[in-house]
Amino acid sequence: MIYTVTLNPSVDYIVEVEELTLGGLNRMKRDMKLPGGKGINVSRVLKQLGVDSTATGFLGGFTGGYIEQWLRQEGIAGSFVQIADDTRINIKLKAGEETEINGAGPEITDSETAALLQKLDALKPGDIVVLSGSAPPSLGGDIYARLIAGCKRKGAEFVIDTTGQALKAALSEGPLLIKPNHHELAELFDTEISTREEIITYGRKLLEGGARHVLVSMAGEGALFITEQGVYHASAPAGQVKNSVGAGDSMIAGFVGTLSLTGNALEAFRAGVASGSATAFSDDLADRAMIEQLRPLVTVSQL
């Protein structure tokens, strides 16, 4: 079973206006309300790939209820901790350029945190836990370390998709996959990266640090896949980019879902790139038809 953990989910309120007038009245051209949060995105794309998962994390208030109802309608199993505070709302304002206004997130109590950690007791060897996104400040800086310890205690694999110190600390625990983009990779090593060769150099450092697979997304230039067996490049399919939210999460879903089904890491890489591209070309997350349309267009070559 694949589990996804979203510590700070959201309702993403997407608003489009023809032209934004600050200090004046603006009328919407279109709006959408979607469940948000990196782990939730992974579960939604896994469902499109025909792979079941259980989504967990913290949900509260009317916004949390909205997310639960949406996932239930899509046939995604949820095992969330119900919290006293409300799940946040993130605003994505599209007026030519996109402006994001993200909520800080709810206050999580010690008992609510303990309830989430207790859910890890259901894990079994062979399960995969996807740990994604930011954490509400009230959880403290060690929450990912505590979750990883719970995974390892039960013999489960884990994927981590976060940034900064939490990602660095996780490397020595042997994550199945990490997926920084090239900007996040540079930030990890406090450097500047301008060439593919530099991406490969620093990606290999992540392998040396303990990661088993490293996937580095490079937007229109495709992606690099770095393993002990070699370094591979995948081209990005051509298309009109409509959506900047969730492409990286979709890439993780494509990789993890396909790896769990086939055990083939290169096919998982291809599916990951196809899934990420399908989301970039859609208003919402990728659907199965778009993923399957793009999959044969992704060319994987060893460098």
Side-chain angles (χ1 to χ4, degrees), residues 139-286:
L139 285 175
D142 66 342
I143 184 61
Y144 274 130
R146 297 169 71 185
L147 289 166
I148 290 167
C151 294
K152 293 178 72 72
R153 186 174 67 251
K154 291 294 184 176
E157 303 271 16
F158 75 95
V159 173
I160 186 160
D161 183 23
T162 188
T163 58
Q165 187 56 42
L167 178 55
K168 286 182 179 179
L171 283 176
S172 62
E173 302 296 334
L176 176 66
L177 173 71
I178 60 172
K179 192 217 66 61
N181 61 37
H182 59 294
H183 299 299
E184 292 165 342
L185 183 62
E187 289 173 6
L188 268 178
F189 291 97
D190 193 24
T191 189
E192 293 185 4
I193 293 177
S194 56
T195 67
R196 181 185 292 184
E197 289 71 25
E198 290 172 334
I199 292 174
I200 293 170
T201 296
Y202 287 103
R204 282 180 169 146
K205 289 182 183 294
L206 296 177
L207 283 184
E208 293 166 5
R212 291 169 53 194
H213 302 94
V214 178
L215 208 169
V216 183
S217 53
M218 304 183 297
E221 296 182 35
L224 290 173
F225 182 48
I226 304 169
T227 73
E228 293 292 349
Q229 288 69 45
V231 178
Y232 303 86
H233 175 261
S235 58
Q240 180 186 356
V241 175
K242 296 181 179 180
N243 178 21
S244 62
V245 177
D249 309 326
S250 302
M251 185 177 283
I252 288 175
F255 183 92
V256 172
T258 304
L259 187 68
S260 70
L261 290 174
T262 68
N264 187 320
L266 290 183
E267 282 308 307
F269 178 37
R270 186 193 309 276
V273 174
S275 300
S277 298
T279 286
F281 301 158
S282 305
D283 289 325
D284 189 8
L285 297 177

Side-chain angles (χ1 to χ4, degrees), residues 73-95:
Q73 288 174 343
E74 290 192 352
I76 297 168
S79 181
F80 289 91
V81 174
Q82 297 298 319
I83 59 174
D85 209 350
D86 288 351
T87 295
R88 64 181 176 158
I89 298 174
N90 291 340
I91 300 170
K92 318 291 184 183
L93 176 59
K94 298 186 178 186

